[in-house]
Amino acid sequence: MARAQLRYLEERSASWVAKHLVMAGRLLEEDPELAYQHTLAASRRGGRVAVVREAVGIAAYHAGKYADALRELRTHRRISGSDYNLPLIADSLRGLGRAEKAIELAHSEECANLETAVKVEMQMVAAGSYADLGKLDKALAELESLEQLNFNRAFSFSPRLFTAYADLLSAAGRAEDAKRWNAQVEVAESALGIERETESFIMDLAPELDEEEETPRAKDLIEPSESSEAAADATAEEAEEPEAEQTGIDEDDDLNVVVESDTDAAEADVEDESTK
């Protein structure tokens, strides 16, 4: 889907954007700041492309630039009409110290009909927000309301869900319960065949970059001369962002996601470690 969106760009610009997005994907975990710079370089020529704005938002989120992440993810939502990144939007609000707004978003009508995997992610954000506010009982209740929080059943999101629940149990002083759920994280990963190293979210954009000469040069990150029109477009769009966005997700918010979701497809039986 990302490759299809880039086809609307002029050929040289599409190549420029794809290369920087691939480099961003490769660097996202090890150097999120540099990954973010690559997405900014991509946005100079592809600022009107939804997947580019999404990549900037995701990279900004990983780099701890929550205000930038919030702006870019909202722009992506507005362009694409997708609600897939709502959990990242809520967690960006949380990162900005607006836990109440994150909870408000998680419990809003916009999130009522999210697909299962996205809804689970959103409730994990809500639980973390309650914990930030010192409301551990509500945080635990948020996760315990999920039928997917099943010790003997694993979905693709279960390792993260189990970890989040274990952390809350530990914070609530329930060390033994936390230990059991932490142990079950590895069991769930094994049952699902999840490897420790996962592919980046945009590695499929330009497989030709395996050739060393195709890798973007460092100076490309700060070379805006050929991208003034795209930069102006991106700036114009950002200027349209309403100041009132601090309230959470409004009807005018412009966040969207293009990543296809298969996170709730994988499911496996998990053996209860406590019976061993």
Side-chain angles (χ1 to χ4, degrees), residues 63-156:
K65 300 177 184 294
Y66 299 116
D68 292 343
L70 190 61
R71 181 187 66 247
E72 295 297 324
L73 290 174
R74 282 176 168 169
T75 299
H76 176 245
R77 183 173 185 251
R78 183 173 59 220
I79 296 172
S80 66
S82 167
D83 290 332
Y84 187 84
N85 280 330
L86 281 176
L88 283 185
I89 295 173
D91 211 30
S92 295
L93 288 168
R94 180 186 170 199
L96 291 169
R98 289 147 59 186
E100 296 91 344
K101 290 299 179 183
I103 294 169
E104 180 183 328
L105 173 58
H107 294 164
S108 68
E109 290 185 7
E110 288 130 308
C111 298
N113 298 313
L114 294 175
E115 61 180 87
T116 300
V118 182
K119 192 167 186 178
V120 169
E121 295 286 350
M122 182 62 83
Q123 288 191 238
M124 282 193 275
V125 174
S129 298
Y130 276 125
D132 292 346
L133 297 172
K135 300 178 180 180
L136 290 176
D137 288 345
K138 287 191 174 183
L140 288 167
E142 190 78 24
L143 296 188
E144 288 167 354
S145 68
L146 291 167
E147 62 180 78
Q148 292 81 14
L149 185 67
N150 186 325
F151 195 79
N152 296 310
R153 201 76 169 159
F155 302 87
S156 58

Side-chain angles (χ1 to χ4, degrees), residues 212-247:
E212 184 177 351
E213 62 271 22
E214 294 292 333
T215 302
R217 298 161 298 175
K219 73 172 186 175
D220 291 339
L221 297 176
I222 55 173
E223 190 175 89
S225 58
E226 298 181 13
S227 55
S228 56
E229 182 178 350
D233 291 337
T235 301
E237 287 185 39
E238 290 170 7
E240 295 172 4
E241 297 283 342
E243 290 296 329
E245 278 180 347
Q246 10 209 101
T247 58

Side-chain angles (χ1 to χ4, degrees), residues 181-197:
W181 282 94
N182 267 324
Q184 203 68 348
V185 171
E186 188 172 343
V187 177
E189 289 178 338
S190 177
L192 293 166
I194 297 176
E195 299 180 359
R196 292 295 178 180
E197 296 294 329

